[in-house]
Amino acid sequence: MEERGAMEAATAEAELVSIPATPRGLSTPETSVTPKRAAAGGAGRTKALWTPSGAASAVATPRLLSPGMGTPMKRVVVSLRGYLEEVGHLTRLNPQDAWLPITESRNGNAHYAAFHNLNAGIGFQALVLPVAFAFLGWSWGIISLTMAYFWQLYTLWILVRLHEADPGKRYNRYVELARAAFGERLGVWLALFPTVYLSAGTATALILIGGETMKLFFQIVCGPLCPSNPLTTVEWYLVFTSLCIILSQLPNLNSIAGLSLIGAITAVTYTTVAWVLSVSQTRPPSISYEPIMSSSSTASVFSVLNALGIIAFAFRGHNLALEIQATMPSTFKHPAHVPMWRGAKVAYLLIAMCLFPIAVGGFWAYGKLMPTGGMLNALYAFHSHDIPRGLLAITFLFVVVNCLSSFQIYSMPVFDSFEAEYTSRTNRPCSIWVRSGFRVFYGFISFFIGVALPFLSSLAGLLGGLTLPVTFAYPCFMWVLIKKPQRYSFNWYLNWCLGILGIAFSLAFSAGGVWSMINSGLKLKFFKPN
């Protein structure tokens, strides 16, 4: 009987799918699960035996663990099931992922997720929130900001859960998930432009804002001792771009976790300093909190839409959620969505503690007198002689450091795309020189675009409208198409309604942003170079 039990165990091991070696840099095994045929019964009769992609569930079926099974066979099955639970999903992974910046290192954790989400989710766009309140007023401003916050928090939860929606598959990039939900061709068309626009457009805007802030920082520090022929604004753009290129030589997303931590700390600090200094100073005379009214009803409607677009633009970073989660190991016992969601909750709690006070405090301090450039412009215009020069300089320095850090995380998907194209053509990883060349090229391309289109940093409403589907609409559609909730259930109605509203708001906010840009002479300029 023991020999018979040993033979059964050997047969069961042969039937189970083998697990090949994992490529270096990946923490989950790669396998291909294919149906098998095995003879059963008499001649000419066959029975299909196959293992689904979630092979551990097949190992634990009641048939295999039935009371009639021999004890040696039970031991083999139980120990193999434990092994599968330890190593994780039997995931079909592309070995090329071990060469790319997003998935090269998979040792991320909840702390890294918090740093990256906070660095990606808060930045210069928070400083223009009081501008939106100037057009919306107290009630609609607070209502709109609150609704947008909880809406985007829900869609972030959707993306975290959809990262491993299909057994045996991890969607490591936003475009990959869009292709799985909408189809190969339509998914690329829908997701590629807004995600690339968010990454590359934000990086270009950061060069403009960082360079202009460096110039103001230099003017504040040197004061009357400034040379008679200081650097021009374009030259400050070049200085900032050079610093970005130096920092971009860090190889992958996990390697910039320290930079994300620095960026998160500086962002929280300068947003807090901005509203604390504003509310602690004497308010300007003749302040009013009535919404700004335009000359016609049409102009008022478009101004409100543009203000709502500014609020939508304040919530960015969803295009990086899947990429951040892809840096984490994932097993049956410890799936990646657990540390990712834990870190994201901490990050977005801190984001709320920054966005709401700066929007409310900034509008309380300046009302309709809020400059179109945002909080730092207001501080510089109304209180440059009241605030100690050193404190003002440190605030501007924090803005520069945050822009340098945000440039790295928003550029990483673009670096990943460059290297994915190279490795797919050459079937080998990028050398250090090729990788460095890609990043130098991208940095200077962003610089030249910024010089040619210096108004990119002023299009907050338009940017919010164009990229709104990535945050507010697409995740809802993806949930319905991939998870397939019961038709006409609450979950089905909720996601369809939110998705359709997101698309409608995107079109309306984009129209408001275009109208504001044309009729206001690009008045959302963040800083006006001297």
Side-chain angles (χ1 to χ4, degrees):
M1 292 296 293
E2 293 181 354
E3 293 179 357
R4 186 174 180 179
M7 292 178 63
E8 290 179 358
T11 303
E13 288 181 305
E15 288 295 329
L16 292 170
V17 178
S18 61
I19 303 176
T22 304
R24 180 173 298 179
L26 301 180
S27 64
T28 52
E30 176 190 8
T31 186
S32 176
V33 180
T34 56
K36 293 186 177 182
R37 287 289 194 183
R45 294 167 56 193
T46 60
K47 181 179 180 181
L49 298 177
W50 64 284
T51 304
S53 55
S57 60
V59 173
T61 54
R63 181 182 65 83
L64 288 177
L65 296 180
S66 61
M69 182 187 298
T71 302
M73 181 61 183
K74 281 186 179 179
R75 285 200 296 266
V76 171
V77 171
V78 170
S79 77
L80 182 57
R81 181 179 63 180
Y83 172 72
L84 292 176
E85 290 176 348
E86 282 297 325
V87 300
H89 297 285
L90 291 177
T91 308
R92 182 190 295 275
L93 294 176
N94 186 353
Q96 182 189 9
D97 281 346
W99 302 334
L100 301 180
I102 298 296
T103 49
E104 186 177 58
S105 172
R106 289 188 186 268
N107 61 352
N109 52 44
H111 297 93
Y112 286 12
F115 303 159
H116 288 317
N117 279 287
L118 190 54
N119 188 30
I122 190 171
F124 68 90
Q125 76 280 3
L127 298 174
V128 295
L129 281 175
V131 179
F133 273 53
F135 290 94
L136 298 174
W138 279 118
S139 299
W140 284 110
I142 294 175
I143 291 172
S144 301
L145 186 61
T146 304
M147 291 180 60
Y149 176 79
F150 286 105
W151 188 349
Q152 60 86 33
L153 195 62
Y154 170 66
T155 55
L156 178 65
W157 176 84
I158 287 179
L159 291 176
V160 171
R161 300 296 300 187
L162 289 181
H163 179 79
E164 295 175 283
D166 296 330
K169 174 68 177 176
R170 292 184 73 176
Y171 297 107
N172 296 317
R173 296 160 183 86
Y174 196 99
V175 177
E176 291 179 10
L177 183 61
R179 290 165 59 187
F182 304 120
E184 290 290 330
R185 185 180 298 272
L186 182 61
V188 171
W189 278 102
L190 290 177
L192 187 62
F193 170 74
T195 53
V196 170
Y197 193 67
L198 263 177
S199 295
T202 301
T204 303
L206 287 169
I207 289 177
L208 301 179
I209 295 165
E212 292 166 359
T213 310
M214 287 182 74
K215 180 178 180 179
L216 288 177
F217 170 75
F218 180 76
Q219 291 176 349
I220 293 173
V221 170
C222 70
L225 301 179
C226 286
S228 57
N229 53 347
L231 296 178
T232 64
T233 303
V234 174
E235 290 171 337
W236 281 112
Y237 293 163
L238 184 59
V239 172
F240 184 84
T241 302
S242 301
L243 294 176
C244 289
I245 290 174
I246 293 173
L247 292 176
S248 69
Q249 302 308 311
L250 293 170
N252 54 60
L253 191 54
N254 268 339
S255 66
I256 66 170
L259 280 178
S260 289
L261 174 60
I262 294 173
I265 292 173
T266 53
V268 171
T269 302
Y270 75 69
T271 52
T272 303
V273 168
W275 72 262
V276 168
L277 288 178
S278 296
V279 300
S280 63
Q281 301 295 321
T282 303
R283 286 183 290 177
S286 66
I287 191 172
S288 173
Y289 299 111
E290 292 295 324
I292 297 176
M293 301 300 295
S294 301
S295 57
S296 65
S297 59
T298 302
S300 298
V301 169
F302 279 115
S303 297
V304 169
L305 291 176
N306 182 66
L308 293 173
I310 293 174
I311 291 178
F313 183 60
F315 298 104
R316 57 177 189 172
H318 281 47
N319 61 311
L320 296 169
L322 295 171
E323 285 80 353
I324 294 170
Q325 194 169 346
T327 64
M328 302 179 184
S330 184
T331 68
F332 283 157
K333 289 185 176 180
H334 307 287
H337 69 81
V338 175
M340 176 64 183
W341 184 238
R342 189 184 303 128
K345 286 189 295 185
V346 173
Y348 277 86
L349 176 62
L350 293 174
I351 289 173
M353 293 170 62
C354 293
L355 296 187
F356 284 89
I358 199 169
V360 174
F363 185 56
W364 180 86
Y366 306 107
K368 293 196 300 185
L369 300 177
M370 169 63 63
T372 55
M375 288 292 288
L376 293 188
N377 265 12
L379 284 174
Y380 194 76
F382 292 105
H383 305 299
S384 58
H385 300 293
D386 303 326
I387 299 174
R389 193 172 67 178
L391 182 58
L392 201 60
I394 291 175
T395 304
F396 286 161
L397 179 62
F398 281 171
V399 174
V400 174
V401 174
N402 173 253
C403 289
L404 287 170
S405 303
S406 297
F407 182 91
Q408 307 308 318
I409 192 168
Y410 272 92
S411 299
M412 198 60 70
V414 182
F415 300 156
D416 188 84
S417 299
F418 285 162
E419 296 188 27
E421 183 67 22
Y422 175 86
T423 55
S424 63
R425 290 179 179 273
T426 61
N427 197 29
R428 62 183 181 186
C430 291
S431 67
I432 187 173
W433 298 109
V434 173
R435 172 172 283 182
S436 178
F438 281 146
R439 300 182 182 198
V440 171
F441 170 78
Y442 172 75
F444 282 112
I445 284 294
S446 300
F447 165 75
F448 287 124
I449 293 175
V451 172
L453 304 174
F455 51 84
L456 282 177
S457 61
S458 65
L459 306 182
L462 180 59
L463 289 175
L466 291 176
T467 59
L468 184 145
V470 173
T471 301
F472 294 96
Y474 289 165
C476 300
F477 292 137
M478 292 172 182
W479 182 266
V480 173
L481 294 173
I482 293 178
K483 287 296 187 178
K484 295 181 173 58
Q486 184 179 357
R487 187 181 291 269
Y488 307 126
S489 63
F490 173 77
N491 187 271
W492 188 86
Y493 275 118
L494 174 66
N495 286 286
W496 272 113
C497 291
L498 290 179
I500 293 172
L501 279 176
I503 296 297
F505 286 156
S506 174
L507 297 175
F509 297 170
S510 299
V514 171
W515 181 91
S516 179
M517 180 182 66
I518 294 174
N519 291 272
S520 303
L522 302 176
K523 67 180 182 178
L524 287 177
K525 187 73 176 172
F526 188 83
F527 283 124
K528 295 181 180 179
N530 293 331

